[in-house]
Every structure is written in structure tokens, then in C-alpha cells.
Amino acid sequence: MTQESTSVLLIYTGGTIGMIENPETGALENFNFEQLQKHVPELAGFHFRIDSFQFDPPRDSSDMDPNAWRELVKIISDNYNEYNGFVILHGTDTMAFTASALSFMLEGLDKAVILTGSQLPIGVLRTDGKENLMTSIEIAAARNEEGKALIPEVCIFFENHLMRGNRTTKLNAENFNAFRSFNYPALATAGIHIKYNQVIRNYSKREDRDLKPHYLLDTNIAILKIFPGLQENVVAATLAVPGLKAVVLETYGSGNAPRKEWFIRLLCEASSKGIVIVNITQCSAGAVEMERYETGYQLLQAGVVSGHDSTTESAITKLMFLLGHGLSTEEVRKRMGVSIAGEMTVG
Ligand code: ASP
């Protein structure tokens, strides 16, 4: 396997990394991939093929949605045999959602799909975009002795850390170190060398994996974040939304919620109507353990299922994926408790 035989596809969706300041308004606006390349002449230093694909127009990641995820899945699937790895340039705001969604939609993935971006545009002197881009390309191209991708999964690379995509959350709107994977160790860290974490295995068996792209997603989902003072009419209205199929319930600590009679009653009624309610902790790290306190146990009795140590981004996109496949309520509840793309620590 030679350098020349290596190839990486760079998919530019938009985001700060490819933005430029409008001289009149001062606002950051998208610019195109050719302009972006001009600011990174170092790309020519890679002695392998790097092709690009650009979203037209590029978009701020606040405008990413399931259709954009489908487009990404299609691009990767159409070009899967042509390239050793894929790098997606993406805005940071919703990068963790896109990474989580792709991890479910790209079943059987055996190549690296690395999402990256930056906090400062690539044309700015102190940009973090160049490092992020260059290292992501190197990781996407990395192969083992057998010629297989070293990182056969969807990841986010940001500020020297390679993280499993569906374990990652954006936690800082200003620092270069903007992402964290609280409940799962980094897959690699970049310093003078890129050090891959040898202990971490991919979440599924590698032999004879074929990519199975998925496009079906159902977005009839809501997030309900509890807080002291949450009103009955707000919860009732949320759970009564026509067509609602699932709710991510963001609870306190290890999965606890108020013991108010109306709250438990509303959850019970929703569950028995077939709405899947998944318990995710508001804490950044740690897992839901509903058996631990009475305030959690009552949720279990109301039919709420545990999201274990999933991120909200992962729980939401996993629900979209499972519901999109038309599974029964019981089947969705069951699969929310099983890791399908390394998104949670169970058993
Ligand atoms: N608003 C931008 C985006 O997410 C922020 C960024 O890229 O960092 O597209």
C-alpha cells in the first residue's frame, strides 16, 4: 500500500472553517471551497489524492437537517469504493448531531469518516482550522498493515482529540477545545505523533463488513428538559403534540425527576399511548440509573426507558433512525437499551 494509492474525499458542508468576514457588516459569511484551499497551501504537502465535494450553497450548521444527513450518506455511499477515508468540514454548532446521525445511518462502515471544523475561519491568522483539517486528513488516510482503515467509524476531530462521533458534545462556544466525549475515552490524541488508543476496539466485528446506507428517519420527537418549577400544562401540551412518537426526557443526576402526581400520571398516559420516553441525564458525564433513587424508580414504573450514558444528540438521532424504520414501540424501547454504533456503555 503506497502513499500514491491512498485517497481521501473532503466534503465541505459549511461552517466557520470556510467563512470570511463581510467587510461591510462584519458578519461571517460562507465562501467556497476553492477560496478555502487557497488559504491552506499545505494541502499540497499530502502526497496522495484529495478530492473535494462541496455543498452548494455551503450552510451554517444551524441549517443542517435530516435531508443534509441523507445527502452526506449518499455522497459517502456513492464514493465508498473510490476513497480510503472521508473528511467532512462542518460547522461546530450541530456537528455532534450530524456525527451521531451518520454513525447510525452508515451501518457496516469500515472506513474513517472524520468531521471537523474550527472556531476561527481558516483565513484568520490564529485559526484552529488548519490543524484540524490537516490532522483529520491524515487520520482519514491512516491504514493498518492489512491496508484497512485504522479508524473504521464516524468521529469528530477537534483540537488534538479524536472522539467517537456519537459520544461527543459541543461544550464551549469560544475555546478552541470546543468538544468533549465525557463518557468514552479519546480514540487518538495528536501531538508530535498521532497516538491511537490501541485498547479501544471498534464496536462491531470487522470481517466482511459491507456498507449499508440508511436514509429513513422519523423526526416526530421532542426533548423535554425538566427544571424546578416546570408546569403541568407545558408537559401536558408537549406530550399531546399530534403524531408525537418519542420524547427525550432530560432529567437530573442519575435520571431523577420530581415526584409530583401529575408528572408521573402524564408520563404513564403517554407511555401507554405508545410514546417512547427515553431518560437522559442533564449532567455532562455519567449515566442514568433509575433504580438508584425513588425519584428515578417512579419513572421506570411509568414506562420510561433508560438512555444509559448516551448524549442527547445520540439519543435523538438514534430515535429518528429506529422510528424511521417503522419498528414497533416495544422494539424501539428495546433497541434504545442496546448499543448499535458504540453510542452507549451497556452490560
Ligand atoms: N455557526 C457556525 C456553524 O455551526 C459555528 C461554527 O462553525 O463553529 O456553522
Side-chain angles (χ1 to χ4, degrees), residues 1-6 84 141-148:
M1 132 201 67
T2 61
Q3 281 266 302
E4 291 73 40
S5 68
T6 304
N84 298 102
R143 286 184 274 172
N144 63 17
E145 314 76 49
E146 294 163 46
K148 293 191 165 192

Side-chain angles (χ1 to χ4, degrees), residues 32-39 52 54:
N32 68 28
F33 189 74
E34 281 71 45
Q35 287 165 298
L36 188 139
Q37 266 176 317
K38 261 192 236 151
H39 288 279
S52 64
Q54 169 174 347

Side-chain angles (χ1 to χ4, degrees), residues 15-17 19 59-62 90-94 118-119 170:
T16 298
I17 192 162
M19 286 182 175
R59 51 176 104 175
D60 188 289
S61 77
S62 303
H90 195 288
T92 57
D93 290 345
T94 65
S118 67
Q119 294 283 62
K170 181 175 180 182

Side-chain angles (χ1 to χ4, degrees), residues 139 151 157 160-163 185-190 194-197 200:
I139 293 171
I151 300 289
F157 180 80
N160 300 327
H161 290 93
L162 182 73
M163 293 157 279
L187 304 187
T189 44
I194 299 174
K195 288 199 181 134
Y196 292 94
N197 187 338
I200 292 174

Side-chain angles (χ1 to χ4, degrees), residues 49-267:
R49 189 170 135 215
I50 302 173
D51 293 334
S52 64
F53 186 99
Q54 169 174 347
F55 269 37
D56 190 19
R59 51 176 104 175
D60 188 289
S61 77
S62 303
D63 288 324
M64 291 299 280
D65 57 15
N67 276 337
W69 300 338
R70 290 184 189 104
E71 203 174 328
L72 284 169
V73 168
K74 179 92 173 75
I75 296 164
I76 291 168
S77 144
D78 286 353
N79 291 283
Y80 196 65
N81 296 328
E82 276 276 307
Y83 296 93
N84 298 102
F86 301 83
V87 173
I88 301 176
L89 297 180
H90 195 288
T92 57
D93 290 345
T94 65
M95 193 187 286
F97 286 94
T98 299
S100 298
L102 294 185
S103 76
F104 302 120
M105 295 166 84
L106 293 168
E107 188 185 338
L109 184 70
D110 207 18
K111 298 189 177 183
V113 174
I114 315 289
L115 288 98
T116 195
S118 67
Q119 294 283 62
L120 277 177
I122 214 148
V124 171
L125 221 48
R126 283 194 314 111
T127 186
D128 50 330
K130 273 193 196 185
E131 296 291 329
N132 288 345
L133 172 59
M134 304 294 283
T135 312
S136 295
I137 293 174
E138 200 169 323
I139 293 171
R143 286 184 274 172
N144 63 17
E145 314 76 49
E146 294 163 46
K148 293 191 165 192
L150 217 49
I151 300 289
E153 56 177 288
V154 180
C155 296
I156 289 183
F157 180 80
F158 221 85
E159 188 65 4
N160 300 327
H161 290 93
L162 182 73
M163 293 157 279
R164 177 166 289 167
N166 56 28
R167 293 293 196 140
T168 310
T169 294
K170 181 175 180 182
L171 93 164
N172 201 307
E174 173 158 340
N175 285 359
F176 287 155
N177 203 352
F179 287 90
R180 288 287 187 291
S181 166
F182 286 103
N183 286 330
Y184 201 71
L187 304 187
T189 44
I192 291 178
H193 303 288
I194 299 174
K195 288 199 181 134
Y196 292 94
N197 187 338
Q198 303 295 353
V199 179
I200 292 174
R201 298 265 183 285
N202 188 257
Y203 48 84
S204 61
K205 287 214 179 68
R206 257 197 114 149
E207 303 91 59
D208 305 323
R209 271 208 247 162
D210 283 325
L211 181 72
K212 194 168 169 216
H214 294 277
Y215 298 95
L216 300 174
L217 297 169
D218 188 330
T219 53
N220 281 300
I221 301 169
I223 297 179
L224 183 58
K225 182 169 184 160
I226 62 165
F227 58 91
L230 175 64
Q231 291 198 164
E232 179 174 355
N233 55 358
V234 173
V235 178
T238 306
L239 296 175
V241 167
L244 187 74
K245 294 193 182 146
V247 174
V248 170
L249 184 68
E250 288 196 355
T251 58
Y252 307 129
S254 54
N256 307 312
R259 272 182 298 177
K260 299 204 164 51
E261 180 278 326
W262 61 260
F263 184 70
I264 300 304
R265 177 175 37 81
L266 288 174
L267 293 180

Side-chain angles (χ1 to χ4, degrees), residues 252-256 289-299:
Y252 307 129
S254 54
N256 307 312
E289 286 179 72
M290 286 189 278
E291 304 79 5
R292 195 146 168 217
Y293 296 98
E294 174 59 28
T295 44
Y297 192 66
Q298 46 157 11
L299 296 180

